[in-house]
Amino acid sequence: MKAIKQAIRTKRPNGTHQAIVCVVCDRVIIGEEKVCNISTERLEENRHRISVVAYEEFYRKPLHPLLLEQYSLLLSPRAYREGDNFECCQSCNSGMQPSKAKKKGSKPPKYAIANGFVIGHFPSVIQIPGEVEPRRIVPII
């Protein structure tokens, strides 16, 4: 029965299945955990808490240029989007409420990507200083 519930929960309108991932913290939402929807408008209201600029100001450290190419707001690229809404875990949804967004100097939700959990993609080619030929990254399976 649990497997059927999970399969129904991850089915998308186009008939495919996709893991439920929080747009704010990039965690996979599993089991009976509540899935919330968060609008692009609400994300924009929290821009001062979840942007690259906010991250760099808070940590007093610039993000690596490869990460800058991947982000403007520090949000999960794996999260499902339907119209102007993204899926979000209950913890991040409550942390992104308007009352918290309006507080000056308020930090992002505890597990938010913008709270020091910045992730990115490995480039397929790396240029190592002192070497003439760039090295290709090959995944080991």
Side-chain angles (χ1 to χ4, degrees):
M1 191 67 169
K2 279 186 178 182
I4 292 170
K5 277 185 179 180
Q6 190 63 26
I8 291 169
R9 205 169 119 134
T10 61
K11 190 171 183 180
R12 303 303 177 191
N14 66 1
T16 62
H17 288 271
Q18 178 185 350
I20 301 170
V21 178
C22 176
V23 70
V24 178
C25 68
D26 195 48
R27 285 187 316 125
V28 175
I29 303 169
I30 58 173
E32 300 291 321
E33 187 178 351
K34 184 178 179 187
V35 179
C36 303
N37 285 317
I38 189 165
S39 67
T40 52
E41 183 181 342
R42 171 96 52 83
L43 293 170
E44 280 296 330
E45 288 170 1
N46 284 275
R47 175 176 280 280
H48 64 284
R49 301 169 65 211
I50 59 173
S51 69
V52 169
V53 173
Y55 177 91
E56 291 176 333
E57 286 175 1
F58 184 80
Y59 288 99
R60 295 187 185 119
K61 181 177 169 181
L63 278 179
H64 190 278
L66 288 174
L67 289 171
L68 288 175
E69 292 173 16
Q70 297 172 34
Y71 291 107
S72 62
L73 290 180
L74 296 170
L75 300 172
S76 174
R78 302 183 312 145
Y80 180 73
R81 178 181 188 167
E82 190 169 327
D84 283 344
N85 293 304
F86 291 89
E87 290 177 337
C88 184
C89 69
Q90 191 168 8
S91 172
C92 289
N93 187 52
S94 64
M96 300 289 277
Q97 292 299 317
S99 59
K100 294 188 180 181
K102 291 175 184 169
K103 285 184 181 176
K104 260 292 202 219
S106 65
K107 293 191 295 184
K110 185 175 182 177
Y111 297 110
I113 296 168
N115 210 7
F117 300 103
V118 179
I119 53 176
H121 309 293
F122 280 106
S124 58
V125 176
I126 296 179
Q127 181 65 51
I128 299 174
E131 289 191 12
V132 180
E133 291 289 319
R135 292 192 184 189
R136 292 191 94 29
I137 305 295
V138 180
I140 298 174
I141 299 173

